[in-house]
Amino acid sequence: MRSPRFVALAALLVAATVVLVRSGSGQAGTPVALILWGGTVVTMDAGGQVFPSGAVVIDADRIVDVGPAEELLRKYSATTRIDTRGQIVLPGLVNTHTHAPMVLFRGVADDLALMDWLNDYIFPAERMVSPDFVRVGTRLAALEMIESGTTTFADMYYFEDDIAEATREAGLRGVLGQSVIQFPVADAPTPADALARAEAFITRWKADPLVTPAVAPHSPYTLDAGSLQAARALADAHHVPLLIHLAETQAEVDIVRQAHGMTPAAYLDSLGLWNGPAVAAHGVWLDDADLTMLAARGVGLSHNPESNMKLASGIAAVPKWIAHGIHAGLGTDGAASNNDLDMFEAMLFTALLHKVATGDPQAMPAPLVLEMATRRGAEALGLGDRIGSLTPGKQADVITVTTENARMTPMFDPISHLVYVAHGDDVRNVIVAGRIIMRDRLVQTLDRDAVLRDARTMAERVRAVVADVHAGRAGSAGEPAPATGAATGGSGGGGR
């Protein structure tokens, strides 16, 4: 007969085993690399599933399972576990349009219209752009994006090869477009040279798991028809997307109409630019016929509310984009015209701006805005089958957001809080392709102090160049400014 002491000890051992299994430690369950458990899991899948006490199971670079924490902690054992109680777990945010290195021009020229901002300040200042400039700027942008929950970004700039290297170093995912523009710029004296650089860039990076290379003709008003068509042909030859600025200002529409008798979107369609994967940024001045055509062509659109407001470019009719079935995402644009890369701000302004513009408080509800920052943004970039929702089989791009500070308390609806309350600095953990790149606010992939030190050093060079620009403007007071980037010999940039 077993003694009472033996029975009691056996009961304790059974209880301990149950605790070990439920906590995900020990040897029970299918082994995996990582489990995030205990938080409110917002999947952003088509069904809109939310698990109040959920778990996300990750192995290698993929999501293996998503569901109630109690169930999944019995089913799997993980090498690494992250306790996300008191946090919201959601897909990493997708920034569908920016110019990463331009964080180094943050605040150099404010409160100006687009063409004045471009021609009088940005184009002249960009004479200092170099591989070193873009590496330092991209590292700073990557640090800011990681710390505010962006895991994927679409970029258009120069020396894109160096931007790709810095992106990989940071562990981020990027759709990176080598810019093509009609006039001499920092990395190419002609469009043909820019296209050759773009082809070399695409060839080097097109098999990379994190970098999707692209060709980025700047806009319909800074390139001739032949160069635009050559950019499309290059993208088609390598099966990569094309990125372009489109219908950002009324001035652009007037320029294109005067030259070609069509809207910018229709003009580009006449050249065949929409006959393959493409993402167009801004789309402020698109008419109904444009939207119908862009939807039929499968073009993704990037809404950049903060840049459009700050440069007084106008308000894009995003509810109409959605109604037309267009793949629509959110972007920050470059930090020179925003002036930050915080996608939580982009969500907030998107939700509020369109309520005011339409007089309808339901014009852009929080769930739709969050979709644009995650799943819809991924679809706009052509990555909807890989990222954008916490779905088994997709890449493990995941962030967590604290709900335990004063601003986030109380929380009745996690999706509402993510759009209307949360800030970028509420992000606690960031995972890209299964790799933890920020844990408990500590970035793992970049030396934060070194990134900031290098950026401040480069900023002194920017300050000197901008001072020269200001001095030059003062010396030529009364002279008319050129009308477009093509006239200036600058580097160009709708929203940059």
Side-chain angles (χ1 to χ4, degrees), residues 34-39 41 54-58 67 69 72-73 80-84 89 398-400 429 431 436:
L34 174 63
I35 297 177
L36 307 173
W37 67 278
V41 176
V56 179
V57 181
I58 296 167
L72 298 189
L73 289 175
T80 302
R81 295 176 301 132
I82 298 179
D83 182 347
T84 60
V89 183
V398 188
I399 65 173
T400 74
N429 300 286
I431 297 160
I436 301 170

Side-chain angles (χ1 to χ4, degrees), residues 30-36 55-66 72 76-80 82 89-90 390-400 430-436:
T30 303
V32 293
L34 174 63
I35 297 177
L36 307 173
V56 179
V57 181
I58 296 167
D59 199 40
D61 60 349
R62 301 277 173 175
I63 297 171
V64 173
D65 211 342
V66 181
L72 298 189
Y76 300 95
S77 63
T79 304
T80 302
I82 298 179
V89 183
L90 70 153
L390 302 183
T391 303
K394 283 193 175 183
Q395 288 279 292
D397 293 5
V398 188
I399 65 173
T400 74
V430 176
I431 297 160
V432 178
R435 179 188 184 191
I436 301 170

Side-chain angles (χ1 to χ4, degrees), residues 248-250 284-285 303-305 307-309 311-316 353:
E248 183 176 3
T249 65
Q250 182 64 59
V284 175
W285 297 92
H303 179 41
N304 299 261
S307 176
N308 294 158
M309 287 190 290
L311 296 168
S313 299
I315 303 173
L353 174 63

